[in-house]
């Protein structure tokens, strides 16, 4: 196999999906476990780490800044941190690959250390906006030289001691919130972020677990999160729950393929991430939470999903932050619903690994689905449970979630849907096609 050539992928199935599967570790939590472990002095052990390319980019960057990070078993990792304030000057550029989370959170870490780091990324990441982190981190004293449009490649000169700020998020972004809080860890005094719209709170939960002094209050302006700087983090044993964003593909697959009945085990159900379950349930999906429990400070459940008829809905805009990565999968579900689904208020989709509104509009239109595109979302007229036409090759645009969503759509299509390149799936879900096969589907990879 030549790794530099696209690898088209098609999923298909002759019958219902059946079986019990586990999804890989949560991507957001995996990044944070490596970073925070790298800031604690002593050994942090991690179980269930997502071993996808994005998380490996974080591991490589933390190593380049002095941490010792080793894989001790499948999903099992050991991190010997250097302590807050003691990250070392990396010798070469930090290659972030496709990973926006690595880039933005690590920019936060570097911003309050006396080091200079250059961040580079692939073509998708190099198109993504970085002004949203450059702005608050500049207020804290960091200095940036970025490519035109405030994009990668970008060089950041950190300042130590940095200046504590109080910052109200202009976009609902957990990455920006986390970048500022991480910069605050090595900044004297209190660094505060106010989020008018609540976003995923894994940083806050895990920082508290590592012993940082972090306080959260609901105020009329929004959630106010304050971290006391010059913090000491204590090493932890982290168990990473399964990623709801990866589980979403199987929730949709089992819902749309007639006769399906599956269990997805160990799925993180943090309320700031579980919007997709609420949205699919409102459409009529049959998703039961079983065996609800707590894993490493995060709520987790096994999801029992059975095929069910869907009806179009207006997706409540207040679900947007808690399902921002799941819109491509939701759009696929909507393509099989009775009637029209309208999902708006999701501008941010335009600046993800691809422009996910345009990418999914093009992909579903090519498969015969009726689409109206808005600046902030899509309206989709579904098939009422019948197979969609399919018979198209989809541009996945270096976007793992476009690739996986359209691979799932192919499970209930009259004509084969080929994803032009399945390689980006490895950024978040290296075992995606293995899981498809456990559930009874076929995965055809072809070489170009
Ligand atoms: C993430 C936050 C989200 C999400 C991304 C992971 C995180 O991005 O889309 O996949 O781990 O903090 P934004 O915070 O930019 O919305």
């Amino acid at each position: 196999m030549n790794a530099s050539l696209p690898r088209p992928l098609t999923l298909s199935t002759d019958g219902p999906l059946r079986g019990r599967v586990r999804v890989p570790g949560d991507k957001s939590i995996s990044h944070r476990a490596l970073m925070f472990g790298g800031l604690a002095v002593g050994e942090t052990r991690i179980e269930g780490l997502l071993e996808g390319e994005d998380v490996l980019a974080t591991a490589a960057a933390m190593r380049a800044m002095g941490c010792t990070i080793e894989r001790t078993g499948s999903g099992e990792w050991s991190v010997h941190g250097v302590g807050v304030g003691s990250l070392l000057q990396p010798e070469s550029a930090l290659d972030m690959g496709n990973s926006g989370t690595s880039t933005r959170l690590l920019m936060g870490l570097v911003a309050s250390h006396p080091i200079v780091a250059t961040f580079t990324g692939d073509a998708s990441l190099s198109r993504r906006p970085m002004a949203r982190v450059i702005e608050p981190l500049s207020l804290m004293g960091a200095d940036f030289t970025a490519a035109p449009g405030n994009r990668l490649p970008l060089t950041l000169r950190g300042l130590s001691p940095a200046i504590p700020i109080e910052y109200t998020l202009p976009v609902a972004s957990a990455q920006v919130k986390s970048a500022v809080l991480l910069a605050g860890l090595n900044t004297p005094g209190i660094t505060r972020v106010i989020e008018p719209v609540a976003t995923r709170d894994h940083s806050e939960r895990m920082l508290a677990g590592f012993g940082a002094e972090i306080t959260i209050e609901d105020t009329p302006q929004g959630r106010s999160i304050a971290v006391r700087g010059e913090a000491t983090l204590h090493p932890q044993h982290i168990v990473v729950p399964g990623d709801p964003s990866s589980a979403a593909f199987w929730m949709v697959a089992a819902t749309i393929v007639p006769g399906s009945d599956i269990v997805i085990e160990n799925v993180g159900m943090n309320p700031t991430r579980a919007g997709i379950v609420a949205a699919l349930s409102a459409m009529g999906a049959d998703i039961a939470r079983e065996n609800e429990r707590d894993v490493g400070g995060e709520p987790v459940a096994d999801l029992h999903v059975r095929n069910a008829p869907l009806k179009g809905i207006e997706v409540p805009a207040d679900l947007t932050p808690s399902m921002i990565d799941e819109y491509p999968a939701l759009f696929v579900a909507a393509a099989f619903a009775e009637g029209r689904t309208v999902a708006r208020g999701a501008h941010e989709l335009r600046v993800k690994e691809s422009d996910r509104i345009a990418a999914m509009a093009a992909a579903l239109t090519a498969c015969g689905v009726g689409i109206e595109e808005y600046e902030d979302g899509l309206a989709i007229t579904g098939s009422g449970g019948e197979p969609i036409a399919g018979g198209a090759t989809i541009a996945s645009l270096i976007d793992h979630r476009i690739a996986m969503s359209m691979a799932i759509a192919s499970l209930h299509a009259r004509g084969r849907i080929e994803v032009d390149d399945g390689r980006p799936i490895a950024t978040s879900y290296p075992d995606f096609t293995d899981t498809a096969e456990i559930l009874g589907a076929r995965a055809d990879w072809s070489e170009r």
Side-chain angles (χ1 to χ4, degrees), residues 65-297:
M65 293 191 283
C67 306
T68 303
I69 301 181
E70 284 163 352
R71 184 175 192 263
T72 53
S74 172
E76 291 176 18
W77 290 66
S78 157
V79 181
H80 285 270
V82 292
V84 171
S86 299
L87 290 176
L88 301 180
Q89 171 67 46
E91 281 172 15
S92 50
L94 304 175
D95 180 2
M96 301 284 96
N98 188 247
S99 180
T101 309
S102 310
T103 309
R104 296 189 177 124
L105 270 59
L106 290 169
M107 282 166 67
L109 278 190
V110 170
S112 59
H113 280 74
I115 56 182
V116 181
T118 297
F119 295 83
T120 62
D122 70 6
S124 154
L125 183 59
S126 303
R127 280 192 288 269
R128 298 183 66 185
M130 295 298 152
R132 54 184 60 199
V133 266
I134 292 175
E135 185 192 289
L137 298 177
S138 300
L139 295 173
M140 296 182 79
D143 184 63
F144 293 85
T145 312
N150 286 316
R151 293 174 208 266
L152 299 192
L154 166 162
T155 297
L156 193 181
R157 180 178 298 275
L159 177 71
S160 180
I163 304 153
I165 59 170
E166 175 172 315
Y167 190 69
T168 300
L169 294 183
V171 277
S173 167
Q175 293 179 351
V176 179
K177 167 176 67 176
S178 301
V180 175
L181 293 175
L182 295 190
L185 284 178
N186 193 41
T187 300
I190 303 284
T191 296
R192 186 184 302 274
V193 179
I194 296 162
E195 50 174 10
V197 177
T199 65
R200 64 190 68 192
D201 63 358
H202 305 301
S203 294
E204 297 92 303
R205 286 174 187 247
M206 203 187 286
L207 280 174
F210 270 90
E213 214 178 291
I214 183 154
T215 52
I216 301 169
E217 286 169 287
D218 283 321
T219 72
Q221 289 71 43
R223 263 176 99 244
S224 161
I225 306 122
V227 68
R228 180 176 296 281
E230 301 179 309
T232 303
L233 300 191
H234 303 289
Q236 298 297 302
H237 178 192
I238 306 275
V239 182
V240 182
D243 197 325
S245 302
S246 298
F249 300 112
W250 308 119
M251 294 179 213
V252 172
T255 297
I256 64 174
V257 176
S260 296
D261 185 339
I262 69 168
V263 175
I264 317 165
E265 294 176 348
N266 193 41
V267 185
M269 283 288 110
N270 179 316
T272 62
R273 295 288 300 284
I276 185 66
V277 178
L280 289 173
S281 300
M283 295 172 78
D286 180 356
I287 305 176
R289 296 185 190 203
E290 297 175 350
N291 194 13
E292 292 186 74
R293 57 204 185 272
D294 226 66
V295 172

Side-chain angles (χ1 to χ4, degrees), residues 222-413:
R223 263 176 99 244
S224 161
I225 306 122
V227 68
R228 180 176 296 281
E230 301 179 309
T232 303
L233 300 191
H234 303 289
Q236 298 297 302
H237 178 192
I238 306 275
V239 182
V240 182
D243 197 325
S245 302
S246 298
F249 300 112
W250 308 119
M251 294 179 213
V252 172
T255 297
I256 64 174
V257 176
S260 296
D261 185 339
I262 69 168
V263 175
I264 317 165
E265 294 176 348
N266 193 41
V267 185
M269 283 288 110
N270 179 316
T272 62
R273 295 288 300 284
I276 185 66
V277 178
L280 289 173
S281 300
M283 295 172 78
D286 180 356
I287 305 176
R289 296 185 190 203
E290 297 175 350
N291 194 13
E292 292 186 74
R293 57 204 185 272
D294 226 66
V295 172
E298 294 272 348
V300 162
D302 300 336
L303 299 182
H304 190 162
V305 189
R306 297 181 188 88
N307 167 238
L310 297 178
K311 56 182 189 314
I313 61 165
E314 204 157 304
V315 180
D318 62 1
L319 287 180
T320 308
S322 64
M323 56 176 282
I324 192 66
D325 292 337
E326 285 64 75
Y327 277 91
L330 177 90
F331 295 152
V332 169
F336 294 92
E338 178 82 55
R340 200 159 174 265
T341 297
V342 184
R344 302 199 54 178
H347 279 110
E348 276 293 297
L349 297 179
R350 296 258 180 216
V351 291
K352 295 295 181 186
E353 285 83 330
S354 67
D355 173 343
R356 287 181 172 161
I357 296 175
M360 288 304 293
L364 290 172
T365 302
C367 292
V369 180
I371 298 287
E372 280 165 73
E373 182 175 340
Y374 302 98
E375 186 45 38
D376 61 347
L378 293 179
I380 298 172
T381 303
S383 67
E386 294 301 312
I388 57 172
T393 294
I394 304 302
S396 54
L397 305 169
I398 328 182
D399 187 334
H400 53 139
R401 298 201 199 281
I402 303 300
M404 288 186 276
S405 298
M406 293 311 296
I408 293 299
S410 180
L411 293 172
H412 199 39

